[in-house]
Amino acid sequence: MREIVLINITGEDRPGLTSAITGVLAQGGVNILDIGQAVIHDTLSFGILVEIPHTEEASSVLKDVLFTAYKLDQQVRFTPVSEADYQQWVNGQGKPRHIVTLLTRKVTAEQLNRVSSITAKYGLNIDHIDRLSGRMPLDMPEDQGKGCIEFSVRGEPADPVALREEFLREAQALNVDIAFQQDSLFRRNRRLAVFDMDSTLIEAEVIDELAKAAGVGEQVAEITERAMRGELDFRASFKERLALLKGLSEDVLEDIGASLRLTEGAETLFAELKRLGYKTAILSGGFTYFAKQLQAKLGIDYVYANELEIVDGKLTGVAIEPIVDAQRKADLLRELAHKEGLQLEQTIAVGDGANDLPMLGLAGLGVAFRAKPLVKQSAKQAISTLGLDGVLYLLGLRDRDGHN
């Protein structure tokens, strides 16, 4: 007769503990069926599921484990597992897996309670919970903190659409972001990331800044806002706004370029993507003059944006075709993926406006960043709480993996 036992060991973490316990098990000829270990604030939680053969050598193995743990000042609990329960556990290994990611400035018990309650409501079992963000000082200002908790869950949600809607509602109520994605092979095997520029990589809509300089700021800003919300066709509204800039001196471009601020987390994100071997691109309905400045600053591989027509040092109020609109962005994502020999599942797209939705829907990971409500609801994932480097958490990267 064989015996299946779950051994749980808890206590102060110390070197050599795993070696000591497995050494005792080895003497009894024990087979390991499952194992897991976590350390939280120097306190160890170690679980090991074992199959103990019915032999003379194995007869005292649990007593020896207890004695060894006692010497190491650890607490031990033994839980017998029936063969039927073990077989049921084995049969569950083919179930789909998903990742739920909580992004917040400061992690609270209420946030974890809401996320875990929703996962349970839709029939998902939580297998692992990990903190991806770094250790946070107690006196960290609320707006500068960065917290990320990742839940690995097993099963298929009873109603995926309703689950996403509920996560979105809770995220808005708690002022956090909650991402839900399939835990697939592609999650850690993406190699191309494309970005909108205005209000995504930079904290401004450049066309609005140009309009202010031309004295038509309010008029253009209103059209921009409606276009980003999806109320106006991008191409038509773009031409309408651009026409109002006719006669503006090209000298203004340099002044505006010098005043543009990168979005929080942009430099960290691009440094990490480069370290991981990603190709990066700007796919923007903005202007190449500013996109090329960002390309030089962040080391971006490709730039596709709109070229302002300038004659005798002044803007003519038109852009040189082809105009980069919503469809063009999606087409460019396809072309770049093909050029790099990648499947679309291996791509990331990040943007904030309605004209970004086609490329966000096409990419393996589409992220609406600090986006309008319509865009947040339509995109696969959304980040509004943290900076751009929050994208790294959606890839499963920890702060200690390299980024801060």
Side-chain angles (χ1 to χ4, degrees), residues 221-239:
E222 183 188 352
I223 301 170
T224 300
E225 180 73 11
R226 292 184 64 197
M228 291 300 101
R229 287 200 302 259
E231 295 171 10
L232 297 174
D233 173 71
F234 175 82
R235 177 177 281 266
S237 68
F238 178 70
K239 289 184 175 182

Side-chain angles (χ1 to χ4, degrees), residues 18 80 103 107 130 151 195 205 267 276 307 320 363-364:
T18 304
L103 305 171
V107 181
D130 291 308
F151 301 77
F195 298 84
E205 290 286 337
E267 288 174 298
L276 294 170
E307 188 78 45
I320 297 166

Side-chain angles (χ1 to χ4, degrees), residues 103 177 179 181 190 193-196 199-200 269 333 347-353 356-357 359-371 375-395:
L103 305 171
D177 295 308
Q181 56 181 315
R190 296 191 168 108
V194 305
F195 298 84
D196 173 50
S199 297
T200 299
L269 173 60
L333 174 58
T347 67
I348 301 168
V350 184
D352 73 298
D356 295 311
L357 279 173
M359 77 171 183
L360 297 185
L362 207 55
L365 176 64
V367 182
F369 181 74
R370 297 182 182 176
V375 183
K376 281 180 75 168
Q377 288 164 16
S378 304
K380 296 171 189 171
Q381 313 298 345
I383 295 178
S384 297
T385 309
L386 302 184
L388 269 175
D389 52 344
V391 171
L392 296 169
Y393 291 138
L394 300 188
L395 304 179

